[in-house]
């Protein structure tokens, strides 16, 4: 049997996001991730920036095939979008989005740090919602 090791994000900052309502559009919803780095720092473009989207619900409006996969961004950036396919226009999820990133002081190559953050968000997919994308932001201290 193939054993899949779930990635862990040790020491990650935990962020509770208020319950969010989103509308599925063209069979998907979006998450907009934004890291606010300290002055003089930038995301390290040479190091992997990875994220993992999971749901704590057994079933829900998000396509289960799109969940639980560790994704590495081709071009690491402090702000990026995640698209999540939906299989229903209404339903609830308890989303957990984990992100691991590397950031460096500009001009001082070699002064780099590693960071991670985990957002927990009750998500309600409903046709009554006005937004199709939810913001996930984090201020790096």
């Amino acid at each position: 049997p193939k054993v899949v090791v779930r990635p862990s994000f040790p020491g990650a900052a935990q962020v509770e996001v208020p319950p969010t309502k989103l509308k599925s559009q063209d069979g998907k919803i979006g998450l907009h991730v934004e890291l606010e780095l300290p002055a003089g720092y930038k995301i390290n473009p040479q190091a992997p920036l990875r994220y993992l989207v999971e749901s704590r619900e057994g079933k829900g409006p998000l396509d289960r095939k799109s969940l639980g996969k560790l994704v590495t961004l081709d071009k690491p950036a402090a702000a990026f979008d995640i698209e999540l396919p939906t299989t229903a226009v209404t339903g609830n999820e308890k989303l957990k989005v984990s992100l691991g990133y590397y950031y460096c002081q500009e001009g001082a190559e070699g002064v780099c740090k590693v960071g991670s953050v985990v957002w927990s968000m009750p998500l309600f997919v409903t046709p009554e919602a006005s937004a199709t994308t939810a913001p996930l932001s984090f201020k790096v201290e």
Side-chain angles (χ1 to χ4, degrees), residues 32-98:
H32 180 71
V33 174
E34 197 157 323
L35 295 173
E36 193 182 323
L37 298 173
Y41 279 84
K42 63 181 194 298
I43 288 291
N44 182 348
Q46 311 300 314
L49 186 146
R50 299 187 175 106
Y51 68 85
L52 175 71
V53 180
E54 302 168 283
S55 177
R56 295 191 173 128
E57 300 284 350
K59 57 183 184 167
L62 295 181
D63 187 341
R64 289 312 188 241
K65 293 192 287 292
S66 68
L67 301 175
K69 292 184 177 141
L70 187 65
V71 178
T72 302
L73 280 192
D74 291 337
K75 294 183 175 159
F80 61 93
D81 292 304
I82 300 173
E83 277 190 355
L84 296 172
T86 55
T87 53
V89 293
T90 181
N92 304 343
E93 297 282 1
K94 286 191 179 123
L95 272 193
K96 180 178 160 192
V97 181
S98 307

Side-chain angles (χ1 to χ4, degrees), residues 6 9 23 38 45 51 105 108 112 114 121 126 128-129:
R6 294 174 68 94
F9 296 82
K23 175 171 60 178
Y51 68 85
Q105 207 165 355
C112 293
V114 61
M121 176 174 75
T126 171
E128 283 90 60

